[in-house]
Amino acid sequence: MSGIRRKVNPLSRAQIREYATALRALAHNQSDYMDVIALLEFVLPSNISNFEYDFIEKGKMKGNLGITIPDENKIYIREDVYDGACEGDGHHRMTIAHEIGHLLLHKGLPSSFARIDEDIKIPAYRCSEWQANCFGGELLIPSISVTESDNAYSLVKRFGVSMSAAEIQLRKK
Ligand SMILES: [Zn+2]
């Protein structure tokens, strides 16, 4: 969630959903609630040989909640975000899911790729931030588990997400 928008290879929501489903399967997650800390501590290290993550004190993150370097298989999470996610805070859990999205989706970007200014329009499916947000939503709230009787409140409770994430995902089902 560095906020730097980059033009990347196009990915549809359906394609991103497949990545999220695959990761959920690797995690053997038995309940609706995806344990993102377990992903960082056990699942990613045991499936990506040189994966590393760390939590960094707030003052050293220059306003970033998380930073991911996909080609180095590294994720840095701001310490308070990590602590919040451990305690089940939906926003912080989503930040971690978002960063994992960057890790899995954005390897091998050409070195010439440039940071895109906020005022330049990129189609959503080619925007790195849209893709990582989409991944986060699909990882924490898999559409296959959302039923007709669900509403934003039930999603918040079952999946441990923020109200805004629940509302977005309900519209994307
Ligand atoms: Zn991001």
Side-chain angles (χ1 to χ4, degrees):
M1 220 170 249
S2 62
I4 298 174
R5 297 155 71 238
R6 293 181 164 122
K7 192 171 175 181
V8 292
N9 289 331
L11 279 175
S12 67
R13 178 170 288 274
Q15 289 171 308
I16 292 170
R17 187 172 284 165
E18 284 179 24
Y19 280 94
T21 303
L23 182 57
R24 272 203 166 243
L26 278 179
H28 302 293
N29 209 64
Q30 300 295 330
S31 70
D32 288 334
Y33 187 91
M34 180 77 238
D35 185 346
V36 294
I37 300 298
L39 292 179
L40 289 180
E41 292 187 345
F42 305 112
V43 180
L44 292 171
S46 59
N47 288 281
I48 299 175
S49 58
N50 60 344
F51 173 78
E52 281 177 34
Y53 84 95
D54 206 351
F55 37 87
I56 308 289
E57 61 185 91
K58 195 170 179 175
K60 292 186 176 164
M61 287 291 278
K62 296 186 174 168
N64 294 300
L65 302 175
I67 294 173
T68 298
I69 308 171
D71 286 336
E72 294 179 15
N73 289 317
K74 286 196 176 110
I75 293 181
Y76 300 103
I77 301 293
R78 206 172 77 183
E79 194 170 25
D80 59 313
V81 171
Y82 184 87
D83 290 344
C86 289
E87 289 161 13
D89 178 283
H91 288 289
H92 294 327
R93 283 167 40 71
M94 183 60 77
T95 295
I96 292 178
H98 174 107
E99 295 304 326
I100 293 172
H102 282 310
L103 180 82
L104 300 182
L105 303 177
H106 297 144
K107 286 193 198 310
L109 293 178
S111 57
S112 61
F113 80 109
R115 179 180 168 157
I116 309 275
D117 288 333
E118 289 296 328
D119 58 344
I120 295 177
K121 256 185 134 33
I122 327 171
Y125 62 91
R126 295 208 67 158
C127 174
S128 58
E129 289 313 292
W130 178 85
Q131 290 181 0
N133 285 337
C134 177
F135 178 89
E138 296 292 333
L139 181 68
L140 296 189
I141 314 170
S143 61
I144 197 164
S145 307
V146 178
T147 68
E148 290 300 318
S149 59
D150 270 313
N151 55 42
Y153 291 98
S154 66
L155 297 188
V156 167
K157 208 169 166 190
R158 278 169 56 208
F159 296 98
V161 295
S162 67
M163 185 60 77
S164 60
E167 285 169 347
I168 289 169
Q169 206 63 12
L170 269 183
R171 293 198 294 270
K172 305 297 181 195
K173 179 155 165 48

